[in-house]
Every structure is written in C-alpha cells, then in structure tokens.
Amino acid sequence: VSQTHDEIRALRVMVDELRAEPAPELAWDAIEQRLLSRISSHVGARPGAESLHLEGAPRLLPVPLQFAPPPRASSPLMRVFGFAAAAAVLALGVGSITHDSEVPQAAAPARHVIESTAVAFAPGSAPRSNARDLSTLRPGDVVEAGDAPVTFGQAGLAQWTLAPGSALRVRSVGVGHTVALERGSLRAEVTPRDASEGLVEAFAVEVGGTRVAVHGTAFSVTIEGNRAVVDVEHGAVAVGPVGYAGATTGHLLVGPSRASFSLDGGRSARFVERVAQPSLVAVLPEGARERPAVDVDEVREAPAVVARAEGAVAAAPKPALSAHASANPAVDAPTVAVGGGTAPPAAIPEPEVREAPVVAAVLPVLSIAGIQGRIARCFKHDPAADPTAVRVSVSSTLTITLEADGSVRKMGLSPALKADVTNCIGGAVSGHYSGDRREIQVPITFQP
Amino acid sequence: VGVTEAPDVDEVVARAQRGDRAAFSELFRRHRGDVGRLVFRMLGPTPDAEDVVQEVFLQVHRSLGEFRGQAKFTTWLHRVTVNVVLMVRRAARSRPVFAGEPVADQEPDRGLLPDEDAARYARIAAFRRLLDRLPEKKRTVFVLHEIEGLAPIEIAEIVDAPVLTVRTRLFYARRELAVMMRDEPTLAQLAEELAGGREGGRANGGRSAEGPMSAILGDDGAQASAETEAT
C-alpha cells in the first residue's frame, strides 16, 4: 500500500490539529480530595497495609488459626461464609497450631506448621467453613498443600484453594493480595470490589513472568509445563507481565473461558477448549467431598505448611494418603510421594487441550428476575439518609438481545439513564446466558 | 511536548514512598496536568476523564513502593497512565455496547462556531474515530510519539517493548491511518484540498512535512518493514 504525498500531508495536518487540541481543565481539587479520601479508606481497611511495600524480615511468630470475621450484611455470599464459619467453630472446635520442631532447622531457620483440615469448595458454592484466615499470611510466606486442598479466605476480599501438592509464595496481602504460584494449581473466588473503589486489582496470581490479575471473579490458574492455564468461570481477569501491580495489561479473559499463556508475561496466548468445569472437588476423596462439616472424626488430616523463613524452605512433610482416599474408585487420586519426597503436584484434571472456540460450561438463565438482581447494585439505596435529601426515582425498560451462542448482542434502555448507571448496568448484564437468540424486556423501577 | 521534571522530584518520590501524604499530594499537583493531558489524548473527550486520572494516581500510590528509580519518574508515571487507560478501554470493550447510546455525552458542546472551526472539529472527531479503529498497541505508540511527542526509546520503556518494535508499530500505525483516511469523507477531502493547493498554507504552517510523519515509508518504515509483527 503506498501513500501519496498529499495523504501524508493530510495525516500530518491531522496530527498537528490533534496536538493543538487543549486538554479540558478538570476539577483538580475535587479529584485530589476524592483521591486522598480513597487512599485513606483503603489504607485503613486493609490488614497489614503498611507492610505492603516495605517487606522486612518475615514474621516468625506463631500464627493463630482464625476464622474469617463475620461479613458485612451487604454480601449474601459472605453472609453464608460467616454463618458457616461460626457453625464450624461451635461444632468442630478444630484449629490447632503445631510448632513443628521436627523441621530441619538448617534448611529453614524457623518454620511454623499449621495443621488442620482443608476441604475444597465447588464452583459457585459458598466457601467452606474451614478456610483459614487469609489475613494471617504475610509477604514472603510459603504455603504448601499436602494431600488435600488447602483453603485460605478473607471476607470481602478473596478465597483461594491450593490443589494437593501445590505450593505458592505470598507476595503481598490485603487489597491487591498477590501470590506467586510455584507449582501445581490454584483456584480462587474474588469478591468484586465496589464500583466506587475503581479498578482495583483485588487479587493476582503470578506464574513466572506472567501475572493474572482480577477485580472480582472465580478462576483457576494451573502450571502446565512452561505455560499457565487460566480458567475463568465468571467475571474477567487480566493476564500480562509481572511488574505492573495494579495495572496489569496484556490479555483480558472474560468468563466463562479458558486460555493458555506463556510464562514470559503472556506474550504467547491461545484459547483452549473448556469442556468441563474443573473443580478441586474432583481431586478430593469422595468422603472428604461429601462429608458434613460437623463430622470431625471423619475429617481427613490434610496438613498445609505455611513456612516463614528467609532463604530456602525445606520440603514439607507430607502425610500418607488415607485408605479412604486411595480406595475411592470414582476419583483419580493424585499421585503423591508418600513420606515427604518430592511430590508432583496433583493438578486439576484438565480436559484435552486443543485449539477450539470457547465452550461455556454452566450458564445463567436469562430471566427478568435474574437481570433485576444483577443490576440492583447499580442503584444506591440508603434508608438512613437525611429525609430532606433529594431522592431520585428511576423507571426505565432494559431490552436485552442475545446472540445464538448466548452472548449479549445489544442492550437498550428506554428512556436512557445517566452514563454511569448505564455503564454499571452494561457491566452487570454482560456475559453469556443459556439458550439461543432471543430478546427480553426487563422493567427497571427504583424507588429510594 | 515533554514532561517537565523538577530537580527534586526524586526527593519528593522518596518521601511519598515513606508514606508522606504531603509529598504524595505534591506529586499529584506537579504531574496531574501531564496525566490529564495523556488521558485526554488517549481517550479523547470523555466524561470519565476525572475518574481515570484519579485511578492513575491511586495506582501510583499503590505501586510507588515498586518504583526503584531505574527509569525517570515521569516515564514510570506515563507507563502507569498508559496501563490504566488501556485497562479502561478493555473494560469498556468487554461490556456490550448500548444501542443508541447518546453520543452527545461524549462530545463537549462547543456552541456556535465559525465554519472553519466547525470543519476542524469535524475532522478531529473523524480522525479520532480512525484512531479508535487502530489496534491498541499501534494506537498507543502513535499517540505517545506523534501526539505526545515522546521518543521511541522512552516509549519502549513505557510499553515494555524493544525500540525496533515501537518503530514497527509506528510505521504500521501511520500507514493504516493514511489508508483509513481515504475512506473517511471529511479527511479524504482534506487530502484533496491539499493536492489542490487550497490548504497548502495551513499544511506548511504546521510542522514540516519532512518531520517524522514524512517517514511513513522513510527511516522508520525502512527499519520497521524488515520486521513483521502480529497485531
């Protein structure tokens, strides 16, 4: 393709005109006020915030096993989490800390082993009660899963489950919690951040030079050779090079989807078929999967190892697989070297990987009630507000048209609403739905 | 148009890294104009500009501890800004587009204008639409180099790519824009006017046609064309 001299000159003229466009003057004082206010609230809210960028010597104090504090009432998922945690505390009374004096001190100057049970959760289900408190972790900690998955969670932030035989190192804690997956597989559910907080990368997993960052979603990351396979159940994750904490760029993977990335920042990426929803439950023994939380005698011991030490970390002692687990014919038990040898990670069972369009696994149904539930967060209702304050009622109709593959082809609001509300609704409704090409109209009525 | 870096910026950054709020405010006030301009040039007129600027500085606050001074602070700030803008654009693309979304919200009301100004704004709007159609990587280096005036070596640091790759993207961005302009009536007319000499004075009044843009198939292009790049 060749350009004429006049086309080049026209391009030059346009560049000059664009350069000459003055940037609009913004309300700088208001921006600064809001910015400082957000910084104050974030710093005050996140545990260990001050240590985020000042990683000193790892703490060597025994870490009490805690359950997540009761969640805020605004989150149904977290409410379930809170009730389950409270029930577990009352019924089980489990949660012991063992100071492991058996660990070779030469390899690891100090080491603290927390022994408890860990049971994975199924995708979409409420977090299980025996998730350990994420806030007890500190930058530099190493977490290794034994023969069963290990779960850490924090109300309002994230919950992640490390597959058997897997290991990760904690990079940072609090909002912006980042872990480096060193081997195996990890699945996480991340609580979506409030829209007012902006584009907060609430949680990130780093594998080699590749960073998988999320704002609120459920996803898993698995190391497969020299690639990281990312499976997004819902929401979206950004995958790109490490080193841009808080602003990860590269690829945006919108769930439900699955893709494989190279470990050099994801320079090479390809979609892979998402045949079946991977679940850590699938690698659990049947008994552990179905066992009620109160059945303490039946709970299989599955120690996780949390190591706090500078330098090398000794291999974690791994318990023998229980007979119950190995005898289970329905589940392929992970290969674990009994006795503390080098255990290959029991990766989440993967579907056959081949280049193919993304196939949705479980999709929500497009219904009026479902959509109304999704967009409810776009409207603010503050019953404690000043009764003399101005209240705004909203009445509109949202029309959603689906493509044959269940994706949203277009949406329309009649009458139109404010841009920020429109954007919020767009974000809440986006995704894939079960069914085929069709259109529904959703009445929106909001009375403060 | 570069970014002015005061001599004591390192000291202000160091104080901000130690948690000094006043120093962070100083960084904000000192660089907010640069960030606001870059956001405007990358996103165009948008009601979200203030939110994006705020987001940039929030990310700066979060990531300041990771700034080790290997690059100039302004280069690092540009990188954070570019990444936030790209994230905003990606987030916007991942949402379904609302049918019939009012365009009036996106373009400022300029009131009644003389014909020439009205024509210029129409051209700029048309050119921005073409820029939006460029692949993100090419678009980013085009804006940073042609509009923001940054050197390829600095852009390479910002987008984390080799300088040659930056030049390649620049080359193809210019070429694709020139091709797209043929199909945009407002801009095609501009080229015709230039050919007819009616707009010659204005064209020559801007930067010389012998500048970087004239190198569409020139220096940058000669180097860049040797490298193929997937988009």
Side-chain angles (χ1 to χ4, degrees), chain B residues 16 23 35 56 77 83-84 90 97 106 112-113 130 149 151 153 155-156 179 182 184 189 208 211:
Chain B
V35 171
V56 168
L77 181 60
N83 286 339
V84 168
R90 284 199 186 98
V97 177
Q106 311 298 323
L112 294 174
L113 295 169
L130 299 189
I153 192 167
I155 297 172
V179 171
R182 294 174 187 166
E184 175 63 47
Q189 184 185 353
S208 165

Side-chain angles (χ1 to χ4, degrees), chain B:
Chain B
V1 182
V3 178
T4 307
E5 190 147 8
D8 60 345
V9 67
D10 291 342
E11 183 195 329
V12 180
V13 168
R15 282 196 289 124
Q17 285 177 319
R18 291 194 294 269
D20 184 336
R21 289 293 175 87
F24 182 75
S25 291
E26 169 70 18
L27 283 179
F28 172 79
R29 288 170 193 162
R30 192 179 288 193
H31 297 285
R32 63 192 186 186
D34 299 325
V35 171
R37 189 190 61 244
L38 183 54
V39 167
F40 170 69
R41 286 177 167 172
M42 290 192 73
L43 289 178
T46 167
D48 297 331
E50 292 187 358
D51 291 341
V52 178
V53 170
Q54 194 183 140
E55 188 61 34
V56 168
F57 279 99
L58 197 60
Q59 301 295 355
V60 166
H61 183 266
R62 288 200 183 104
S63 307
L64 204 53
E66 296 173 12
F67 175 65
R68 303 292 181 212
Q70 307 96 321
K72 282 196 305 181
F73 176 73
T74 47
T75 302
W76 183 79
L77 181 60
H78 269 104
R79 185 159 65 185
V80 174
T81 306
V82 166
N83 286 339
V84 168
V85 167
L86 293 179
M87 196 190 310
V88 167
R89 286 175 61 84
R90 284 199 186 98
R93 275 205 307 272
S94 70
R95 289 194 295 265
V97 177
F98 271 79
E101 194 167 4
V103 179
D105 273 3
Q106 311 298 323
E107 286 290 335
D109 180 8
R110 300 181 188 275
L112 294 174
L113 295 169
D115 286 351
E116 189 172 338
D117 284 348
R120 185 160 57 88
Y121 287 129
R123 278 198 305 272
I124 289 174
F127 192 68
R128 282 209 174 97
R129 285 196 296 273
L130 299 189
L131 267 179
D132 265 346
R133 286 165 50 192
L134 275 184
E136 205 67 83
K137 290 176 180 175
K138 295 175 190 169
R139 183 178 181 282
T140 300
V141 297
F142 184 86
V143 170
L144 289 176
H145 182 68
E146 296 293 353
I147 316 297
E148 194 67 4
L150 299 181
I153 192 167
E154 190 172 4
I155 297 172
E157 280 192 68
I158 291 170
V159 302
D160 192 29
V163 177
L164 185 59
T165 302
V166 170
R167 290 185 181 280
T168 305
R169 292 175 187 169
L170 206 48
F171 167 76
Y172 284 107
R174 291 167 180 158
R175 196 171 73 166
E176 289 173 28
L177 276 171
V179 171
M180 285 193 285
M181 285 173 69
R182 294 174 187 166
D183 299 326
E184 175 63 47
T186 313
L187 302 174
Q189 184 185 353
L190 174 64
E192 288 172 13
E193 288 173 357
L194 290 171
R198 288 188 292 275
E199 292 289 325
R202 178 179 51 188
N204 291 331
R207 268 186 1 187
S208 165
E210 299 306 314
M213 191 63 70
S214 65
I216 279 187
L217 295 175
D219 291 343
D220 287 346
Q223 290 181 343
S225 57
E227 183 187 356
T228 56
E229 184 186 14
T231 54

Side-chain angles (χ1 to χ4, degrees), chain A residues 9-27:
Chain A
R9 286 174 64 197
L11 187 54
R12 178 74 269 156
V13 168
M14 289 316 305
V15 165
D16 287 342
E17 289 188 345
L18 215 52
R19 269 188 166 203
E21 274 274 282
E25 192 61 26
L26 303 178

